[in-house]
């Protein structure tokens, strides 16, 4: 009797440890939904666009969201606005110089003010943001939504097991801080860039 | 035989009328096309953002549809050209009327 209780407790502890283990979520979305939206609401030319080339991984533990770490990478050459000429200028040498700076990176260092309600966790993410070769530490509000068992359903392959992690956030950066034409063309291209993030990562289970 | 001078004076009102009609047609066509394509008040677009929503995650995302939407510079160029045609039409003098004695 005593032995079976010990075995049961050990099994439960093992299961708890296994379920509490952090999962690695891959943000290269097979459905191609992931994108960062950016807005430069200037006086003469309000510009909005998206960057679809999102990759990266985030390690998330549903039992301990505060321990989340990860890195999200956006391909600079994937930045697109509604006008093809404007897109070329944006990616060009005078602005982001995409060939020389192929990646925009946010590396999550820590989460603070973590609050979890149900599947949702809100927090302030502090990390290193790299744009046009300049890296600065920034803090941004984020919301993490953990969708257990939704991986296969989303891909219309219910036989696939696995979870999803959605990251949402909005923050503003000053382009001058990153050497993007500081002080120039401010009537046409706003000095501040508002970034909206809504991306999903998948952690398939074999 | 026709008098060359009278031929020239007869051509002038015809050219004047043709230019004015062309200016009017261009103005109507430009404004009509711009209005029909959505009366977009920004710059012309050759890719149009279309908002969509992922069912499972609720993520709103944008896809681009390759389509031309004329903007304010298209409207400006069309109306400007129509205005230029009208101004050119003023260069053709009216047929002079003989004072009656």
């Amino acid at each position: 009797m005593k032995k079976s209780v010990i075995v049961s407790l050990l099994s439960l502890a093992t299961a708890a440890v296994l379920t509490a283990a952090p999962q690695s979520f891959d943000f290269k979305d097979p459905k191609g939904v992931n994108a960062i939206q950016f807005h430069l609401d200037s006086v003469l030319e309000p510009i909005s666009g998206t960057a679809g080339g999102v990759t990266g991984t985030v390690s998330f533990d549903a039992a301990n969201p505060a321990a989340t770490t990860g890195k999200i990478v956006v391909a600079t050459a994937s930045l697109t606005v509604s006008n093809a000429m404007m897109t070329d200028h944006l990616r060009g040498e005078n602005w982001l110089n995409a060939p020389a700076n192929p990646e925009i990176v946010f590396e999550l260092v820590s989460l603070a003010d973590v609050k979890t309600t149900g599947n949702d966790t809100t927090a302030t993410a502090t990390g290193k943001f790299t744009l046009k070769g300049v890296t600065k530490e920034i803090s941004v509000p984020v919301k993490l939504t953990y969708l257990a068992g939704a991986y296969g359903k989303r891909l219309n392959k219910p036989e696939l097991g696995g979870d999803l992690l959605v990251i949402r956030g909005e923050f503003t950066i000053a382009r001058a801080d990153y050497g993007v034409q500081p002080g120039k063309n401010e009537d046409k291209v706003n000095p501040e860039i508002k970034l909206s993030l809504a991306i999903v990562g998948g952690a398939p289970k074999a | 035989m026709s008098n060359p001078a009278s031929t020239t004076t007869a051509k002038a009102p015809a050219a004047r009328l043709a230019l004015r009609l062309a200016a009017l047609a261009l103005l109507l066509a430009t404004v009509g096309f711009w209005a029909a394509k959505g009366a977009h008040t920004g710059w012309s677009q050759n890719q149009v953002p279309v908002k969509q929503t992922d069912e499972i995650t609720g993520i709103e995302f944008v896809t681009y549809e390759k389509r031309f939407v004329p903007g304010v510079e298209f409207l400006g160029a069309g109306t400007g050209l129509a205005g230029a045609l009208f101004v050119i039409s003023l260069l053709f003098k009216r047929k002079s009327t003989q004072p009656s004695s």
Side-chain angles (χ1 to χ4, degrees), chain B residues 38-99:
Chain B
H40 181 59
T41 52
W43 298 116
S44 293
Q45 299 179 341
N46 38 26
Q47 298 186 103
V48 180
V50 181
K51 268 193 179 180
Q52 298 186 61
T53 306
D54 184 82
E55 284 177 15
I56 305 296
T57 62
I59 292 175
E60 277 195 353
F61 62 103
V62 174
T63 54
Y64 287 91
E65 197 175 280
K66 287 201 172 177
R67 180 156 54 92
F68 179 69
V69 178
V72 285
E73 86 279 19
F74 176 88
L75 189 66
T79 51
L81 195 57
L85 286 175
F86 181 78
V87 169
I88 291 169
S89 80
L90 297 175
L91 300 176
F92 293 87
K93 289 181 181 172
R94 280 178 192 276
K95 194 177 178 181
S96 59
T97 52
Q98 295 291 327

Side-chain angles (χ1 to χ4, degrees), chain A residues 94-119:
Chain A
N94 289 336
W95 290 89
L96 296 177
N97 197 2
N101 306 289
E103 292 181 342
I104 299 165
V105 181
F106 181 76
E107 192 175 348
L108 176 62
V109 175
S110 64
L111 283 184
D113 306 323
V114 180
K115 286 171 193 155
T116 301
T117 311
N119 293 333

Side-chain angles (χ1 to χ4, degrees), chain A residues 153-170:
Chain A
K153 191 180 171 190
R154 181 167 182 265
L155 297 178
N156 293 322
K157 291 179 181 172
E159 69 276 12
L160 293 178
D163 306 333
L164 296 174
L165 179 69
V166 181
I167 302 179
R168 291 182 173 85
E170 265 188 21

Side-chain angles (χ1 to χ4, degrees), chain A residues 2-81:
Chain A
K2 192 179 174 185
K3 193 178 173 184
S4 64
V5 170
I6 290 170
V7 169
S8 299
L9 284 173
L10 277 173
S11 302
L12 278 173
T14 308
V17 166
L18 283 175
T19 52
Q23 288 176 274
S24 181
F25 289 85
D26 185 356
F27 280 77
K28 185 172 171 57
D29 182 29
K31 286 182 81 173
V33 165
N34 281 351
I36 311 293
Q37 295 185 27
F38 55 91
H39 310 276
L40 302 102
D41 198 9
S42 61
V43 179
L44 297 180
E45 293 181 26
I47 301 166
S48 289
T50 58
V54 178
T55 54
T57 55
V58 170
S59 174
F60 177 81
D61 182 351
N64 183 20
T68 305
T69 56
K71 185 176 173 180
I72 298 297
V73 180
V74 178
T76 312
S78 72
L79 265 72
T80 305
V81 294

